[in-house]
Amino acid sequence: MVVTWTFTDNHGTTSNIITSSNANITAPDYSGRITLFRATGSLELRGLTIGDTGEYTVTVIPTGAGHQKGYCKLSVYERVSNVSVTINSTELMEFSGPVTLRCFSSGSSLTFQWLNGSSVVTASDRVQLTDGGSALTIVNVTRYDQGPFRCHVSNAHSNGTSDAVDLLIILGPEDIKLTVFPLKEYHDQGSDVILTCSVVSRPPAQFLWYLNGNPSVHKTPELRLMNVQLSQRGNYTCEAFNNRTMKTQTSQPVVLTILKSNVSNAVITPNATDLSEFGSVSFTCSSSGSSRSFRWINRTSEITAGDRVQLMDDGSRLVIINVSRYDAGPFLCHVFNNFSNSTSDAVKLSINFGPENINLTVFPSQQYYQEGSSVNFSCTAVSSPAALYSWFQNEVKLSDTGPVLRLVNVTERQSGNYSCQALNNKTLRSETSQPRILSILVPVSNVLVNPNVTELVEFTGSISLTCSCSGSTRSFLWLNGSSEVTASDRVQFTDENSILIIHAVTRFDQGPFRCNVSNGISHGISEAVELVIKYGPYNVTIVGPQSVYAGDPTMLYCHSESFPAAEITWFFNGQPTHGHAAVHIVPSVQHSNGGTYACAAQNTVTLQNQTDHHELTVTDFSPCDCVPAAGFAAIVTVGICLLLTALIGLVVYCVRRNKRVNSNYPARDKEKRSVKEKHRDVYKKTGTVKNLSF
């Protein structure tokens, strides 16, 4: 197979690049910068130059077959760079002749575009684009051809823009104008007047001022006459001169009239003097005189413009937005010029605000008040004008008005929530205080305790004690002796603690019970109530000797705890005796008196009984002189033992009685009761019962 590549440049000249059959034949100009891929017939060309632009042809002749051809075009561009503009002249007289701008740039296949400012320059009667657009010629330049001009160069691969070039088009002066500020028919002596001369001219014109045809020393486009005097009145003109065109132009004259006028009769006129806070107010200051300046004063401080304060109409008008209570004045307006002044009379505003920060107080200040006492409520609020006050009890309006509510000889029905409301009849705003609670109480009196029963059998019933009294808002405290009664499994309080119920009463519940009633202003205590609790017999015990000598006297004592007292029956060896007293006496013991003694105690009310047994042994004693003494000693010993036993039993009973709330009850009721000794009356069981009398 034979592969051949040829190149035809833009001038139509064709040359061979490479021919490949059994060997490759490469043209010298392409040696080292091409690669032929025989399998595909493609050609790689490296190190491109502008000269590589043209048409490429490939011819493939397969072995034993006809040849085939293919074509392609390649365009190689040089990057745009170093764009610059040259001009034959940068200063020209308007309408005096043409100007030519030329654009230069590196690169190939260049396209040129001219810009005047941001607008594209196009060819016209006065504008010519030559040399492929790289040259711009403007015929008869005008003032609108001053630029800035720029040249934009581009090709298919890159682009670039030159620096701006400005032309100075020399023209004028023309269209001269003379203006006066402020523009008035006449100007006050001492005022400031500014005359301005304007003209179209390039380069800028030089100015000369004339007063009544006489030149002045001022040579600027603006003539400032500060603190103007009568001597400066007359006809003013200005002259403009262009030192390039050598042309001159003079303005029309302006007449400046100066009058002298003193300031007097300064007066402030507000649009309102009675207004609500956060509104707006406007003051206008007027006076006679000329060239006036205005200064506003609030009290002794000068007023300056700010977010809320505006000074308008050369300072003669003061506007205050969102007026506050501190803007009441007095306001003064001071008017002055360079040779006189005048100050207005003071103007005060009435700023209506509030009510706010309302506060309700009560005197005397205490939690509770006794019926018949006097109470004063005082209501205050920040308000202008002063607020009007209304009073409410439990949100119901009262007929009372004014900042003070006086309650004399109060009754319980006047208890409740009191509040006051402040109203400003100018702002039409109102504010209501937080309520204050007034608690009026009737003193406690006639405290009584009524039990439903007074006699009970231990463990078989319940007792209900009802405490009644006169007074209001009471709390109840129950006392058993000097100890406070507290709730437990057996002890209950009902009807707001005014009723005490004790279930399964014991001997320790007999009292004395008292009811202590209190409220915030007084207290009272009932008379003591004692209960009769019937119990026993318990702890039946026989006290006596276990062994005695024959012939000696002896005594056995049967002790029992019982109310009412138990009936006693003595038994000897299981047989009843005729003894029914607590003490069983044997005057002279015989051997037949030895055996088992039993004491049976029975309570005829509780129907309970209990028995105790005692063994007595009788022994012989050898006769001696001490027999009588021994017998006497034995009797004394037995008597002392019985006496001690009785005393011990009495002490134990009293101790248990005095500590009945703190002690454990007997086996059938082992509940512990809390005891809290009081040094003074403290009320823990409280309840509220109103408007009751007993």
Side-chain angles (χ1 to χ4, degrees):
M1 181 179 69
V2 178
V3 179
T4 301
W5 278 91
T6 60
F7 168 65
T8 303
D9 61 21
N10 290 334
H11 302 292
T13 302
T14 302
S15 59
N16 188 61
I17 299 174
I18 186 171
T19 299
S20 176
S21 56
N22 294 329
N24 293 335
I25 301 173
T26 303
D29 291 342
Y30 296 94
S31 177
R33 67 186 192 100
I34 63 170
T35 299
L36 176 65
F37 300 93
R38 283 181 55 83
T40 60
S42 59
L43 177 68
E44 180 185 87
L45 182 62
R46 299 182 295 275
L48 295 175
T49 66
I50 297 297
D52 292 322
T53 299
E55 184 177 79
Y56 290 80
T57 303
V58 59
T59 303
V60 179
I61 306 174
T63 303
H67 69 277
Q68 298 177 359
K69 284 189 176 185
Y71 305 91
C72 68
K73 288 186 178 182
L74 175 65
S75 297
V76 180
Y77 296 94
E78 181 182 353
R79 182 181 298 275
V80 174
S81 63
N82 302 322
V83 181
S84 62
V85 174
T86 62
I87 187 170
N88 62 342
S89 177
T90 57
E91 294 187 6
L92 300 97
M93 293 285 187
E94 189 176 28
F95 308 121
S96 64
V99 64
T100 300
L101 296 88
R102 296 186 180 277
C103 185
F104 297 93
S105 174
S106 300
S108 61
S109 301
L110 302 177
T111 300
F112 297 88
Q113 185 181 56
W114 289 92
L115 300 172
N116 183 356
S118 60
S119 302
V120 176
V121 179
T122 57
S124 66
D125 293 342
R126 289 196 316 110
V127 178
Q128 300 173 4
L129 296 173
T130 59
D131 295 340
S134 64
L136 168 62
T137 301
I138 303 175
V139 181
N140 290 326
V141 292
T142 70
R143 64 195 66 188
Y144 308 108
D145 298 325
Q146 61 184 359
F149 289 95
R150 290 173 298 151
C151 176
H152 183 75
V153 183
S154 63
N155 59 21
H157 179 66
S158 60
N159 63 81
T161 303
S162 70
D163 293 335
V165 173
D166 290 297
L167 302 182
L168 175 59
I169 309 301
I170 300 170
L171 55 94
E174 57 188 52
D175 298 329
I176 192 169
K177 293 180 181 178
L178 175 57
T179 58
V180 180
F181 180 83
L183 183 60
K184 296 181 178 180
E185 184 179 355
Y186 65 90
H187 295 267
D188 299 317
Q189 182 180 7
S191 64
D192 298 333
V193 182
I194 300 175
L195 291 84
T196 303
C197 191
S198 61
V199 70
V200 178
S201 176
R202 293 198 189 95
Q206 299 172 358
F207 295 92
L208 185 62
W209 290 90
Y210 294 86
L211 172 58
N212 299 324
N214 298 315
S216 70
V217 296
H218 299 285
K219 296 184 178 181
T220 59
E222 187 175 84
L223 176 60
R224 291 178 172 268
L225 304 178
M226 314 305 289
N227 190 19
V228 67
Q229 300 300 312
L230 295 176
S231 61
Q232 293 176 291
R233 60 190 175 184
N235 294 323
Y236 283 81
T237 57
C238 69
E239 180 183 87
F241 171 69
N242 187 321
N243 60 3
R244 298 294 297 274
T245 64
M246 303 306 291
K247 293 180 179 180
T248 300
Q249 190 173 32
T250 302
S251 71
Q252 292 294 318
V254 170
V255 178
L256 192 63
T257 302
I258 311 296
L259 298 178
K260 181 176 181 179
S261 179
N262 291 328
V263 173
S264 62
N265 302 323
V267 176
I268 295 178
T269 304
N271 66 340
T273 57
D274 189 354
L275 63 158
S276 295
E277 193 172 29
F278 309 119
S280 296
V281 65
S282 173
F283 303 89
T284 301
C285 184
S286 60
S287 74
S288 60
S290 59
S291 302
R292 298 165 300 170
S293 297
F294 298 86
R295 180 183 296 118
W296 290 91
I297 298 170
N298 184 0
R299 296 188 182 95
T300 59
S301 301
E302 182 176 353
I303 300 174
T304 57
D307 293 339
R308 293 195 310 113
V309 178
Q310 299 175 1
L311 294 174
M312 308 169 68
D313 298 338
D314 296 327
S316 66
R317 185 164 171 245
L318 168 64
V319 177
I320 303 176
I321 303 170
N322 290 330
V323 172
S324 75
R325 64 197 68 180
Y326 309 107
D327 297 324
F331 291 91
L332 298 172
C333 176
H334 183 69
V335 188
F336 60 94
N337 58 21
N338 289 331
F339 44 85
S340 61
N341 65 80
S342 176
T343 302
S344 71
D345 292 333
V347 172
K348 296 190 70 173
L349 300 180
S350 176
I351 309 297
N352 305 316
F353 58 87
E356 57 192 46
N357 300 329
I358 192 168
N359 184 43
L360 176 60
T361 57
V362 60
F363 179 83
S365 179
Q366 56 196 55
Q367 186 175 6
Y368 301 105
Y369 299 85
Q370 184 170 329
E371 192 174 50
S373 61
S374 296
V375 182
N376 291 333
F377 287 97
S378 178
C379 191
T380 60
V382 178
S383 177
S384 178
L388 304 176
Y389 294 94
S390 300
W391 293 92
F392 296 83
Q393 179 189 9
N394 298 326
E395 299 183 353
V396 177
K397 188 174 182 179
L398 303 176
S399 60
D400 304 78
T401 59
V404 177
L405 174 63
R406 302 181 189 277
L407 302 179
V408 180
N409 194 21
V410 294
T411 62
E412 189 176 17
R413 65 181 179 81
Q414 290 177 284
S415 297
N417 291 326
Y418 283 79
S419 60
C420 65
Q421 184 183 77
L423 170 68
N424 186 319
N425 60 2
K426 288 295 187 71
T427 65
L428 300 181
R429 292 171 53 195
S430 64
E431 187 170 289
T432 302
S433 70
Q434 291 295 319
R436 295 293 297 266
I437 299 176
L438 181 66
S439 297
I440 302 171
L441 304 178
V442 177
V444 173
S445 62
N446 302 322
V447 182
L448 298 174
V449 173
N450 296 309
N452 62 338
V453 293
T454 57
E455 294 187 6
L456 299 95
V457 175
E458 188 177 33
F459 305 122
T460 63
S462 299
I463 181 72
S464 173
L465 302 171
T466 301
C467 185
S468 62
C469 68
S470 299
S472 55
T473 313
R474 295 151 300 173
S475 61
F476 297 84
L477 176 73
W478 287 91
L479 299 173
N480 185 354
S482 60
S483 301
E484 178 185 347
V485 180
T486 57
S488 67
D489 292 340
R490 289 196 315 110
V491 179
Q492 298 176 356
F493 296 97
T494 63
D495 198 10
E496 298 176 319
N497 301 319
S498 66
I499 298 177
L500 168 62
I501 300 174
I502 304 174
H503 299 285
V505 293
T506 73
R507 72 195 76 175
F508 307 111
D509 297 327
Q510 62 187 359
F513 288 96
R514 289 174 298 153
C515 175
N516 196 332
V517 185
S518 66
N519 56 22
I521 60 171
S522 64
H523 72 278
I525 191 164
S526 70
E527 296 291 336
V529 172
E530 295 201 30
L531 305 179
V532 177
I533 309 299
K534 299 176 180 180
Y535 60 89
Y538 302 133
N539 301 323
V540 176
T541 305
I542 297 175
V543 180
Q546 294 180 346
S547 177
V548 296
Y549 293 112
D552 289 343
T554 188
M555 180 173 58
L556 300 177
Y557 172 68
C558 183
H559 167 75
S560 67
E561 297 176 11
S562 176
F563 184 83
E567 293 183 356
I568 303 298
T569 301
W570 287 92
F571 292 83
F572 177 66
N573 291 329
Q575 296 299 318
T577 68
H578 297 290
H580 294 284
V583 178
H584 182 69
I585 300 175
V586 181
S588 178
V589 178
Q590 303 299 320
H591 284 283
S592 61
N593 296 124
T596 301
Y597 288 82
C599 172
Q602 181 177 18
N603 188 319
T604 59
V605 176
T606 65
L607 302 180
Q608 296 183 29
N609 60 77
Q610 194 175 54
T611 302
D612 188 33
H613 296 82
H614 182 82
E615 293 292 335
L616 179 65
T617 302
V618 180
T619 60
D620 292 325
F621 184 71
S622 298
C624 66
D625 295 335
C626 58
V627 168
F632 179 76
I635 293 174
V636 171
T637 301
V638 171
I640 293 173
C641 290
L642 291 175
L643 180 60
L644 289 175
T645 301
L647 291 175
I648 291 171
L650 179 61
V651 170
V652 170
Y653 175 78
C654 292
V655 169
R656 288 187 177 182
R657 175 186 173 94
N658 290 336
K659 296 184 178 179
R660 57 190 171 276
V661 179
N662 292 330
S663 303
N664 291 331
Y665 285 157
R668 277 180 284 176
D669 185 38
K670 293 185 178 180
E671 172 191 12
K672 284 189 176 181
R673 306 182 66 198
S674 171
V675 177
K676 190 173 186 181
E677 294 297 330
K678 303 291 182 183
H679 298 292
R680 58 186 178 89
D681 291 323
V682 179
Y683 313 115
K684 287 195 172 179
K685 299 301 171 185
T686 61
T688 302
V689 180
K690 295 186 178 179
N691 302 321
L692 295 178
S693 296
F694 297 91

